[in-house]
Amino acid sequence: MGESTDTSVFSRHSSHSLTRRGFCAAAAASALLFLAPGCTSSRNVVVDDTDVDAAAVQLTFFGFKYEPLNVIAIEEALHGYMDENGGVSIVYESIKSLPYFDALDKRLAAGLGDDVFMVDHDTVLEFEAAGYLADLSDLATISSFSELALSQMRSEGAIDYVPTSISAFGLYCNTDMLAAYGVSVPRTFAEFERACEKFVAEGVLPVVANNDISLKTVAIARGLADVYDSADPTAAIVSFNDDHAGLVSHLREGFEVVERMISGGWVDAGLALETEKTADDLSQFATGAYPFMLTGAWASVRMHDLAPDLEFDVHPYPVLDDRSVLVVNVDTRVSVNANGPHVEQAKDFVTYLTRPGPIELFANSQCSFSPLIGNAAPDDGSLAPIAAAFESGVTVIGSDDNLHLPIWSSVRECVAALLEGRTAEEAEALLAELIATASGQGGESV
């Protein structure tokens, strides 16, 4: 199904009124369009209100959350805020995945940035330097955030964004298929290796992997687990800002695990390169023909919709010698345009968005943990194993704000190189080059 970035599912120029009830009905009816194979990276969604033109203040909110449940939660927050602030209207627009960040960068660079927008770790690094991000330190809700969230938000002193979720990444296990083959849910890398080798011997491709986060988070989990299990993980991560070689060396072990998965036939490298996140991968796993899938926990609710009869649980990554490890991100970050025409009103909306009610509704719609004190877990029962791991175990932060290097995008590029046939040694060298370039060291080794 071909798409372009100007295709609107809910258009601000629509001729019919978009009431809350009408929106929810439209979102439910269009869910299959969002989840259908081929509907991928550039669908555009707009949540509008019929009184936009009459409002004294008109805010725009740009993001990358486009899925029906997420958009419904955002729409609830928008209407809740507008109910309390009669002179304000808000329009939400979304583009999925990587094209979103290209569009966001172009809008801000042209002085046409939205009042409120979503960011990630790497764009925060860029936008801080460019002066695009308003300081949110004075928001009344800041004290409500958990220690984990605050450790990321305050990494630079000023608070340039607020998170609306803590996302997790996991190993989806087709429990019926595992039982049929006499395979237990793997807890260690050795158990994972034995399980995958058994499936390969039976002519079954063990792991569904996408071309974005699947193997990237595996590499980070294995490479940085010992850092986050140290006495002072924040200090250890901060040290990598000067000790680039140390960071690269740690991630080499993660690249070796990915290389083993590829060489062992646990993943189909060519297929993974073409498999889009939260789209093609879900369609593959929904067939019931694969025992494992690596992706974000947020995909769980979509899996239930795609394959109601598929029994699965989501577990931490079995990538260590003695245990599994959970990768998380302080995520779905929202910033205010420092150069926008309505900075204070935009900050007031973000304050409303980060109240317990709206934020926990939004986090749960993403099958993610709340970033507020207590870190309320999502209510999807399939995520119970990662909820238990989050509560009791050591977690690895996939893109830590205390690390001022674009690890998220750089490791993705290195994993793509592995899928294309490069070795772990070559991936390590590539990471060194990418970090050197990002830190302004040109071609110097690190």
Side-chain angles (χ1 to χ4, degrees):
M1 183 183 300
E3 296 177 341
S4 64
T5 56
D6 61 356
T7 300
S8 293
V9 177
F10 303 109
S11 173
R12 71 183 71 184
H13 303 299
S14 174
S15 60
H16 62 276
S17 297
L18 182 61
T19 63
R20 186 177 312 191
R21 180 179 301 172
F23 173 84
C24 293
S30 65
L32 291 178
L33 287 176
F34 287 110
L35 296 170
C39 293
T40 53
S41 64
S42 59
R43 181 166 294 280
N44 179 258
V45 181
V46 174
V47 174
D48 201 350
D49 184 86
T50 55
D51 297 325
V52 168
D53 294 336
V57 176
Q58 300 176 17
L59 299 179
T60 59
F61 182 9
F62 190 34
F64 50 76
K65 287 297 177 180
Y66 77 103
E67 300 86 352
L69 283 176
N70 301 161
V71 177
I72 288 171
I74 292 171
E75 193 259 356
E76 288 290 326
L78 266 57
H79 277 280
Y81 181 75
M82 289 187 287
D83 286 346
E84 293 186 10
N85 297 269
V88 180
S89 70
I90 311 174
V91 173
Y92 174 74
E93 179 187 359
S94 174
I95 301 174
K96 183 189 173 186
S97 196
L98 297 178
Y100 164 79
F101 291 101
D102 291 337
L104 176 63
D105 186 63
K106 290 176 182 177
R107 291 184 185 192
L108 289 168
L112 301 173
D114 296 87
D115 298 290
V116 180
F117 46 82
M118 294 179 184
V119 293
D120 67 359
H121 172 271
D122 292 2
T123 53
V124 167
L125 293 177
E126 294 178 31
F127 293 171
E128 281 175 341
Y132 293 152
L133 307 180
D135 184 1
L136 304 181
S137 301
D138 59 346
L139 297 191
T141 50
I142 295 299
S143 61
S144 301
F145 284 90
S146 69
E147 183 179 346
L148 172 60
L150 288 171
S151 73
Q152 301 298 293
M153 297 158 61
R154 288 176 169 162
S155 63
E156 287 298 300
I159 294 178
D160 297 317
Y161 72 85
V162 289
T164 59
S165 69
I166 295 178
S167 59
F169 304 85
L171 180 73
Y172 284 65
C173 297
N174 180 335
T175 54
D176 286 342
M177 193 171 186
L178 294 185
Y181 282 85
V183 174
S184 299
V185 172
R187 310 292 181 184
T188 66
F189 186 67
E191 292 175 2
F192 190 35
E193 185 173 41
R194 286 194 294 271
C196 289
E197 287 180 342
K198 179 177 179 62
F199 282 113
V200 169
E202 296 285 347
V204 175
L205 181 65
V207 182
V208 173
N210 61 56
N211 59 12
D212 187 358
I213 58 171
S214 296
L215 300 175
K216 170 173 71 179
T217 48
V218 165
I220 292 172
R222 178 66 182 236
L224 297 182
D226 63 332
V227 175
Y228 284 92
D229 202 18
S230 64
D232 190 347
T234 298
I237 289 293
V238 169
S239 72
F240 290 144
N241 291 314
D242 296 318
D243 180 18
H244 297 170
L247 175 62
V248 172
S249 177
H250 270 83
L251 286 166
R252 166 65 181 267
E253 193 170 348
F255 294 147
E256 288 173 348
V257 166
V258 174
E259 183 181 34
R260 173 74 182 96
M261 295 177 68
I262 296 168
S263 65
W266 307 1
V267 298
D268 181 325
L271 179 62
L273 283 167
E274 300 297 324
T275 297
E276 281 213 51
K277 176 183 69 178
T278 325
D280 303 329
D281 51 357
L282 306 193
S283 297
Q284 292 168 30
F285 193 64
T287 65
Y290 302 88
F292 304 116
M293 176 174 65
L294 294 161
T295 196
W298 61 79
S300 180
V301 68
R302 273 149 273 181
M303 281 309 312
H304 291 306
D305 290 338
L306 275 176
D309 298 326
L310 180 65
E311 295 293 330
F312 68 90
D313 291 323
V314 187
H315 294 260
Y317 286 164
V319 294
L320 301 183
D321 295 335
D322 58 345
R323 60 182 173 86
S324 55
V325 60
L326 181 64
V327 179
V328 300
N329 269 340
V330 173
D331 220 349
T332 322
R333 306 169 177 203
V334 176
S335 291
V336 168
N337 184 356
N339 304 311
H342 307 294
V343 174
E344 293 306 315
Q345 195 71 58
K347 290 170 66 173
D348 190 60
F349 165 68
V350 172
T351 299
Y352 177 89
L353 183 64
T354 51
R355 290 181 188 174
I359 203 170
E360 291 182 1
L361 175 67
F362 188 33
N364 193 50
S365 80
Q366 301 175 72
C367 290
S368 297
F369 298 89
S370 167
L372 302 186
I373 293 170
N375 298 125
D379 58 18
D380 186 338
S382 297
L383 305 179
I386 65 168
F390 185 81
E391 183 175 351
S392 62
V394 174
T395 59
V396 169
I397 301 175
S399 54
D400 197 318
D401 282 279
N402 294 287
L403 182 63
H404 305 155
L405 300 167
I407 185 173
W408 202 237
S409 56
S410 297
V411 175
R412 180 182 189 269
E413 193 168 337
C414 294
V415 165
L418 287 165
L419 289 169
E420 291 167 352
R422 307 274 285 275
T423 66
E425 182 179 6
E426 290 171 323
E428 180 185 22
L430 175 59
L431 180 61
E433 293 173 10
L434 293 170
I435 289 178
T437 300
S439 61
Q441 296 179 10
E444 297 176 26
S445 64
V446 294

